[in-house]
Amino acid sequence: MTTDAEYIKVAEEAWEESVEIAKSVDGWKEEKKDKKTGDVVESRKNSKGRKIYRCKAKIDMPPKLLIDAMGDTDHVTEWNKTLTEARVLKTLSDNCAISYQVTSDGGGGMVSARDFVYVSKKGYEGEIFVMGGKSVEMKDAPSSSKIVRAVNGPGCQMVTPSAEDKNICEFLWLMDCDYKGWMPQSVLDIAMPIAQTQFIDCVRKLAEKLKEEGQF
């Protein structure tokens, strides 16, 4: 049985490691770039030799609104259509929790749904908000015979305020996901950047909705 303190230690270590990788400069190769929005997806190999992905985008919404939406796991599927299910299984501390998430079919239907059990920590690196963590085993976690369990290595999502405009933020997503199941790398090379850009589309739609509601 893993104790809460052990889970928190895993979350903190994954958070630190993911921030370091997300900020790293060397070894990244561009996979996909949107000329109109400036969004970019890059990849490199992690220490185990698996491809990891980093997506960067400028979002027209105040950082606080995006941070609040990202941190509200139980309601995240209302706007994040890359997930069909997301819920907190256990709150470990004020800033650490274990959640269960199910992805929608990814990469334009090339990758069937996956689920994962994820421990995460929310915190700040200077003025940058970071929600980071990794997959964990949990005895009473839900599972489905129909869905393959994916395993996430250290990853994070970061929100950085814009220096020029309080209604703009920079978003970064570092994804290290072992999709499991039989999945050729050539399919993942297409599916992973699509999954990241689909998420960015969801964030932009949320920004439009909140703006229409007069929240900024």
Side-chain angles (χ1 to χ4, degrees), residues 1 24 27 31 44 51 56 75 93 96-97 125 133 209:
M1 226 3 222
S24 67
E31 291 276 338
R44 62 169 256 207
K51 232 175 176 183
K56 294 175 179 173
H75 294 99
S93 69
C96 293
E125 170 85 355
K209 178 176 169 283

Side-chain angles (χ1 to χ4, degrees), residues 5-6 17 19 22 34-35 39 73 86 93 95 97 104 127 134 148 152 154 156 184 188 199-200 203 216:
E6 286 168 325
E17 189 181 338
V19 168
D34 186 318
K35 289 190 175 66
D39 300 354
T73 301
S93 69
N95 57 5
S104 33
E127 59 171 13
K134 66 181 286 192
V148 175
N152 282 287
C156 64
L188 288 176
F199 176 78
I200 297 297
V203 172
F216 69 98

Side-chain angles (χ1 to χ4, degrees), residues 19 42 60 65 112 121-122 131 136 139 141 143 146 151 168 178 208:
V19 168
E42 301 159 302
D60 290 332
L65 292 179
S112 59
K121 174 191 161 178
K122 294 186 284 198
M131 188 167 178
V136 286
K139 193 168 73 73
S143 66
K146 295 187 184 71
V151 176
I168 290 179
D178 184 349
E208 283 166 20

Side-chain angles (χ1 to χ4, degrees), residues 142-211:
S143 66
S144 163
S145 57
K146 295 187 184 71
I147 303 175
V148 175
R149 170 72 37 99
V151 176
N152 282 287
C156 64
Q157 295 182 331
M158 300 170 117
V159 179
T160 306
S162 158
E164 292 92 53
D165 188 335
K166 67 180 192 325
N167 289 336
I168 290 179
C169 58
E170 300 278 348
F171 176 79
L172 181 150
W173 178 15
L174 174 73
M175 177 168 67
D176 176 351
C177 183
D178 184 349
Y179 254 71
K180 301 294 183 189
W182 188 82
M183 194 55 62
Q185 188 62 45
S186 57
V187 171
L188 288 176
D189 285 348
I190 301 167
M192 299 306 238
I194 291 175
Q196 288 202 304
T197 51
Q198 279 174 334
F199 176 78
I200 297 297
D201 289 343
C202 293
V203 172
R204 289 210 166 100
K205 285 189 178 122
L206 173 68
E208 283 166 20
K209 178 176 169 283
L210 296 177
K211 188 157 199 175

Side-chain angles (χ1 to χ4, degrees), residues 12-51:
E12 286 175 344
E13 285 173 359
W15 193 93
E16 296 285 350
E17 189 181 338
S18 68
V19 168
E20 199 176 308
I21 298 166
K23 288 172 139 183
S24 67
V25 176
D26 293 341
W28 292 97
K29 168 174 142 288
E30 193 176 289
E31 291 276 338
K32 193 176 181 189
K33 182 160 190 177
D34 186 318
K35 289 190 175 66
K36 199 171 73 185
T37 60
D39 300 354
V40 61
V41 179
E42 301 159 302
S43 71
R44 62 169 256 207
K45 295 275 174 67
N46 69 2
S47 55
K48 297 191 178 84
R50 184 170 61 242
K51 232 175 176 183

Side-chain angles (χ1 to χ4, degrees), residues 49-179:
R50 184 170 61 242
K51 232 175 176 183
I52 60 175
Y53 295 85
R54 180 173 71 181
C55 169
K56 294 175 179 173
K58 191 173 268 193
I59 307 293
D60 290 332
M61 73 191 291
K64 186 186 181 303
L65 292 179
L66 181 52
I67 291 163
D68 289 349
M70 283 165 47
D72 187 5
T73 301
D74 290 335
H75 294 99
V76 84
T77 57
E78 289 169 16
W79 59 271
N80 177 4
K81 300 307 173 191
T82 66
L83 296 175
T84 57
E85 195 178 332
R87 63 181 192 271
V88 172
L89 298 177
K90 189 170 197 195
T91 302
L92 301 166
S93 69
D94 286 347
N95 57 5
C96 293
I98 299 172
S99 62
Y100 175 69
Q101 302 181 18
V102 182
T103 69
S104 33
D105 292 346
M110 283 187 288
V111 181
S112 59
R114 296 287 190 269
D115 69 357
F116 47 91
V117 178
Y118 193 77
V119 66
S120 63
K121 174 191 161 178
K122 294 186 284 198
Y124 281 85
E125 170 85 355
E127 59 171 13
I128 302 168
F129 172 81
V130 184
M131 188 167 178
K134 66 181 286 192
S135 283
V136 286
E137 297 280 332
M138 188 184 180
K139 193 168 73 73
D140 300 321
S143 66
S144 163
S145 57
K146 295 187 184 71
I147 303 175
V148 175
R149 170 72 37 99
V151 176
N152 282 287
C156 64
Q157 295 182 331
M158 300 170 117
V159 179
T160 306
S162 158
E164 292 92 53
D165 188 335
K166 67 180 192 325
N167 289 336
I168 290 179
C169 58
E170 300 278 348
F171 176 79
L172 181 150
W173 178 15
L174 174 73
M175 177 168 67
D176 176 351
C177 183
D178 184 349
Y179 254 71

